[in-house]
Amino acid sequence: MEQREHRTPAATKGVLQVLFAALLWSTSGVVVRGIKTLPFIYLLYRNSLTAAILWPFCGGHKLKQIRSAWKPLVVVSLSYSLYVGGFVIATRLLGAATAIAMQYTAPVYLFIFYLFRNRYISIRQEYPKLLMLCGVVMNAIATIRDFSFPMLLPAFCCGIGFALFTRAMKRLADLDTFFVVAVVNAASALVFFLLAHPYDNYHVLLITKDELFIIFFASVTVNVVSYILFGLGIKSISSLEASCITLIEPVMNPLWVLLILGEAPSLTDVLFLLIIIVSLLLEVVLVFRHDNHQYS
């Protein structure tokens, strides 16, 4: 019987980097729920500040990399814009628990894509995703009953964008992480400027000093530090493992909102979040079983 390979120091470091990135991401719900700035305007300032902070560390020679990798950079930038835009709007409309749970339904959309492509399903291997899909359907029915279907669309965009972003980032593993995060945030800031521009008739792009301080804090922690750690960590581990490690985010995000802002999630939100967490845990079990079988 062959011995299973031990985790390399680089892989262990990658796990810790992705874990700490997820902990920083989990603070975003508090920021989004605590600030009154319109979502697109908040994202315009946050992503612009992130790009401005990182750009001096990129170096002029990095601009040549845009020409050689512009297609994956466009995909990452658009998927990132879809992901964070959907998350912020869903957090405002539906609450932190629902928004973060919908973000982590990313495997569902990949599962549906492969299902239509291969026209085959293995219940034994895919039951966690089926459970997650049931949770999404239940949450959609509950949300439509209490609100309306358009209010759920940003949450779906969040999950789809996160799935595309996680996969697309793997294609940029050879590029400098500072450069990738700076370009992605600069490009998404342009996207949100175009989306926020119609609201500027009454000069709502102007924000207070307190709001600017909060957004600057979010730029440094949620964007700069966390995405650099995630970009470094995902180079040493798989996309699936990264998705499993970041499971700490959906647990902590609504908890921070409860502890700091005193906003408790509804029973429906808690049930939906638990379904997603259990589904992801089952996915982890399947992956470990597969690895053990492969190396035995």
Side-chain angles (χ1 to χ4, degrees):
M1 180 181 296
E2 296 181 6
Q3 291 290 332
R4 183 177 178 178
E5 295 179 4
H6 293 289
R7 182 181 292 275
T8 64
T12 301
K13 184 178 180 180
V15 168
L16 294 176
Q17 288 170 330
V18 172
L19 176 61
F20 192 61
L23 288 173
L24 292 176
W25 284 339
S26 69
T27 64
S28 60
V30 174
V31 177
V32 173
R33 296 289 294 180
I35 197 171
K36 301 304 179 184
T37 310
L38 293 175
F40 291 149
I41 297 172
Y42 162 74
L43 289 167
L44 165 63
Y45 278 99
R46 193 189 77 175
N47 294 356
S48 298
L49 285 170
T50 300
I53 292 169
L54 287 176
W55 198 252
F57 299 98
C58 295
H61 65 284
K62 299 294 184 183
L63 294 176
K64 298 179 181 179
Q65 297 185 14
I66 295 180
R67 291 195 294 269
S68 61
W70 69 270
K71 288 184 179 180
L73 280 171
V74 168
V75 174
V76 171
S77 299
L78 292 178
S79 61
Y80 175 74
S81 301
L82 186 66
Y83 151 46
V84 296
F87 175 79
V88 171
I89 297 175
T91 300
R92 287 285 183 85
L93 294 177
L94 306 174
T98 297
I100 198 67
M102 288 298 292
Q103 173 187 329
Y104 279 88
T105 59
V108 168
Y109 307 107
L110 296 176
F111 167 69
I112 294 174
F113 170 75
Y114 291 125
L115 180 61
F116 275 98
R117 189 184 69 175
N118 301 329
R119 297 181 180 179
Y120 170 78
I121 181 173
S122 172
I123 302 296
R124 185 175 181 181
Q125 296 179 355
E126 305 295 350
Y127 69 88
K129 297 183 182 69
L130 292 173
L131 176 61
M132 191 181 298
L133 182 59
C134 291
V136 172
V137 173
M138 290 170 55
N139 181 65
I141 294 174
T143 303
I144 294 172
R145 183 190 61 192
D146 295 335
F147 301 99
S148 63
F149 181 74
M151 295 186 69
L152 194 58
L153 286 178
F156 280 113
C157 290
C158 175
I160 295 171
F162 187 64
L164 295 173
F165 172 74
T166 304
R167 291 181 63 84
M169 279 291 288
K170 293 292 290 185
R171 299 179 60 187
L172 299 174
D174 295 333
L175 297 185
D176 179 72
T177 303
F178 282 72
F179 169 75
V180 172
V181 177
V183 170
V184 167
N185 276 274
S188 62
L190 176 60
V191 171
F192 291 123
F193 172 76
L194 296 175
L195 293 173
H197 185 68
Y199 297 99
D200 197 29
N201 295 331
Y202 300 99
H203 305 290
V204 293
L205 292 184
L206 298 177
I207 58 176
T208 65
K209 292 181 179 179
D210 292 339
E211 290 174 331
L212 183 60
F213 175 78
I214 295 174
I215 295 174
F216 178 79
F217 170 79
S219 300
V220 173
T221 57
V222 179
N223 271 23
V224 176
V225 177
S226 63
Y227 279 98
I228 286 175
L229 289 173
F230 182 78
L232 292 171
I234 203 171
K235 293 180 180 181
S236 305
I237 60 178
S238 67
S239 298
L240 180 59
E241 188 173 12
S243 298
C244 294
I245 294 169
T246 52
L247 183 61
I248 188 67
E249 183 187 5
V251 176
M252 295 303 300
N253 193 304
L255 183 59
W256 292 131
V257 173
L258 174 62
L259 294 177
I260 297 176
L261 300 179
E263 296 181 8
S266 67
L267 182 59
T268 303
D269 292 337
V270 172
L271 178 60
F272 178 45
L273 187 60
L274 286 176
I275 291 175
I276 300 304
I277 292 173
V278 170
S279 302
L280 291 172
L281 287 174
L282 290 173
E283 189 75 38
V284 173
V285 171
L286 286 180
V287 171
F288 284 157
R289 283 182 178 177
H290 177 268
D291 288 348
N292 286 327
H293 176 73
Q294 181 179 3
Y295 287 100
S296 61

